[in-house]
């Protein structure tokens, strides 16, 4: 069986060698590339007649599937799968799996950090200090006692709830189904419209699907408190960025922190949020911690080895 790792997983060579060892036994071969593929032709050349493909978050061209006659398993080293032509792969009988759970802690901690940064205006304060700024110019706000609205209470949403609960926030949330373990944290489930009206801090933790595209847009921003802030560390298409930029410009909400966009950074100047006031923007770093990269690699190679042994 032939396995190709299409792009780096941001782990040490030593760990890569250890984890991939079972894929290099007997008749098995394992090939790893340390750069991202730049063109469909490069994808196809690298993949060749491999049986298994491992990739991270580089968008996979549909043309690759038509040029990979032996491909049977796509092993995605990422939580989201919207950068891979999953439906087309499954129609060809190719199994697809993702690496769920590895980034829960990293994303949740970034949400908390972004919230604190917006409430305490850390970026502005740093710049001001270097130009003679003083404390009197930066009266901030605390998390304790504020109402946090969590949209999506899966694994990451639950961890976010735990962190905010530890800081004394009041928790409300909305989800397709209610989870008792999340309610045990003190979270009250409410309809989306009520959450938008009540929350001081709103954080999004939904998957990117056709149903969640533009889940938050002009209608939803109009319902938020003018003092509220929005955090999006989920997926870009869930929040309409043009509508959010306009809402920020119109003062419908006080600020937004965004780690995900409709395209992977680097962004072009056409991205509306680059020109919106009261924003904190980061280039999709929520999942990107040393600890998460190690967890991810272990999950991915466990999948790879199980499949090589005849499992699913």
């Amino acid at each position: 069986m032939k396995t190709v790792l299409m792009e780096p997983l941001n782990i040490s060579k030593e760990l890569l060698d250890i984890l991939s060892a079972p894929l290099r036994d007997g008749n098995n071969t394992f090939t790893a590339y340390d750069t991202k593929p730049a063109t469909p032709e490069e994808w196809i050349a690298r993949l060749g007649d491999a049986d298994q493909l491992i990739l991270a978050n580089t968008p996979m061209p549909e043309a690759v599937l038509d040029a990979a006659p032996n491909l049977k398993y796509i092993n995605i080293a990422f939580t989201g799968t919207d950068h891979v032509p999953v439906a087309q792969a499954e129609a060809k009988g190719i199994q697809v799996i993702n690496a769920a759970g590895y980034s829960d802690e990293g994303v949740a901690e970034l949400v908390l950090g972004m919230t604190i940064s917006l409430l305490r205006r850390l970026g502005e304060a740093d710049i001001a200090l270097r130009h003679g700024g003083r404390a009197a110019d930066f009266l901030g706000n605390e998390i304790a006692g504020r109402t946090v609205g969590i949209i999506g209470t899966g694994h990451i949403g639950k961890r976010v709830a735990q962190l905010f609960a530890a800081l004394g926030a009041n928790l409300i949330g909305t989800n397709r189904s209610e989870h008792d373990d999340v309610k045990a944290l003190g979270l009250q489930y409410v309809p989306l419209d009520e959450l938008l009206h009540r929350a001081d801090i709103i954080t999004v933790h939904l998957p990117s699907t056709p149903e969640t595209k533009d889940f938050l847009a002009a209608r939803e921003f109009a319902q938020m408190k003018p003092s509220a802030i929005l955090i999006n560390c989920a997926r870009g298409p869930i929040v309409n960025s043009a509508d959010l930029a306009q809402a920020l410009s119109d003062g419908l909400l006080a600020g937004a922190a965004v780690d995900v966009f409709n395209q992977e950074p680097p962004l072009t100047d056409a991205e509306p949020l680059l020109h919106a006031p009261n924003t904190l923007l980061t280039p999709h770093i929520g999942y990107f911690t040393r600890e998460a990269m190690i967890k991810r690699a272990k999950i991915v190679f466990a999948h790879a080895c199980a499949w090589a042994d005849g499992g699913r």
Side-chain angles (χ1 to χ4, degrees), residues 113 116-127 138:
I116 293 172
S117 183
L118 283 179
L119 293 180
R120 302 303 301 269
R121 300 168 58 194
L122 297 185
E124 297 171 69
D126 176 84
I127 294 171
F138 293 96

Side-chain angles (χ1 to χ4, degrees), residues 55 80 89 99 120 154 160 182 237 271:
L55 74 154
R120 302 303 301 269
V160 167
V182 180
E271 169 54 54

Side-chain angles (χ1 to χ4, degrees), residues 30-51:
F30 174 76
T31 303
Y33 291 91
D34 57 8
T35 61
K36 292 177 177 288
T39 64
E41 292 75 20
E42 190 171 7
W43 274 88
I44 293 168
R46 289 184 180 188
L47 187 57
D49 60 350
D51 304 279

Side-chain angles (χ1 to χ4, degrees), residues 10-294:
N10 295 293
I11 57 173
S12 67
K13 183 180 183 304
E14 291 74 18
L15 180 58
L16 179 62
D17 289 344
I18 292 170
L19 295 177
S20 63
L23 301 175
R24 292 182 276 107
D25 286 346
N27 294 324
N28 296 326
T29 63
F30 174 76
T31 303
Y33 291 91
D34 57 8
T35 61
K36 292 177 177 288
T39 64
E41 292 75 20
E42 190 171 7
W43 274 88
I44 293 168
R46 289 184 180 188
L47 187 57
D49 60 350
D51 304 279
Q52 177 176 194
L53 165 66
I54 301 174
L55 74 154
N57 64 335
T58 300
M60 179 182 179
E62 291 184 19
V64 175
L65 295 177
D66 295 326
N70 289 347
L71 186 61
K72 304 175 185 70
Y73 195 64
I74 299 176
N75 190 343
I76 305 173
F78 210 61
T79 301
T81 62
D82 49 310
H83 60 298
V84 172
V86 174
Q88 292 88 333
E90 292 179 341
K92 290 176 173 288
I94 301 169
Q95 296 180 42
V96 182
I97 195 168
N98 67 330
Y102 75 91
S103 63
D104 293 1
E105 188 66 29
V107 172
E109 289 187 11
L110 182 63
V111 169
L112 189 65
M114 285 180 146
T115 301
I116 293 172
S117 183
L118 283 179
L119 293 180
R120 302 303 301 269
R121 300 168 58 194
L122 297 185
E124 297 171 69
D126 176 84
I127 294 171
L129 175 67
R130 300 171 191 277
H131 297 86
R134 54 181 187 158
D137 298 324
F138 293 96
L139 182 64
N141 295 290
E142 299 174 358
I143 290 173
R146 279 184 153 66
T147 297
V148 176
I150 302 174
I151 300 176
T153 58
H155 292 294
I156 295 176
K158 176 185 175 181
R159 184 57 180 147
V160 167
Q162 290 172 331
L163 295 179
F164 277 112
L167 293 178
N170 304 310
L171 303 177
I172 57 176
T174 188
N175 200 64
R176 287 184 299 180
S177 57
E178 298 185 5
H179 303 302
D180 289 340
D181 56 346
V182 180
K183 289 198 284 188
L185 298 170
L187 182 140
Q188 174 193 10
Y189 281 101
V190 299
L192 176 62
D193 287 355
E194 182 178 342
L195 182 149
L196 296 171
H197 283 298
R198 289 176 53 188
D200 303 298
I201 300 158
I202 297 173
T203 178
V204 183
H205 301 288
L206 298 174
S208 180
T209 68
E211 292 74 26
T212 63
K213 179 176 171 56
D214 292 339
F215 192 85
L216 297 181
R219 173 189 174 276
E220 288 71 34
F221 301 136
Q223 297 181 69
M224 293 174 62
K225 295 179 179 180
S227 59
I229 62 172
L230 173 70
I231 315 293
N232 184 16
C233 289
R235 303 295 283 174
I238 298 169
V239 176
N240 186 300
S241 59
D243 286 358
L244 176 57
Q246 188 62 54
L248 289 162
S249 296
D250 292 344
L252 298 182
L253 63 159
V258 179
D259 184 50
V260 287
F261 305 87
N262 290 332
Q263 67 180 70
E264 283 296 304
L267 303 176
T268 69
D269 194 57
E271 169 54 54
L273 290 174
L274 291 176
H275 313 288
N278 305 318
T279 55
L280 170 63
L281 309 178
T282 52
H284 200 177
I285 61 173
Y287 73 97
F288 199 49
T289 68
R290 289 183 177 87
E291 294 84 356
M293 295 302 95
I294 292 171

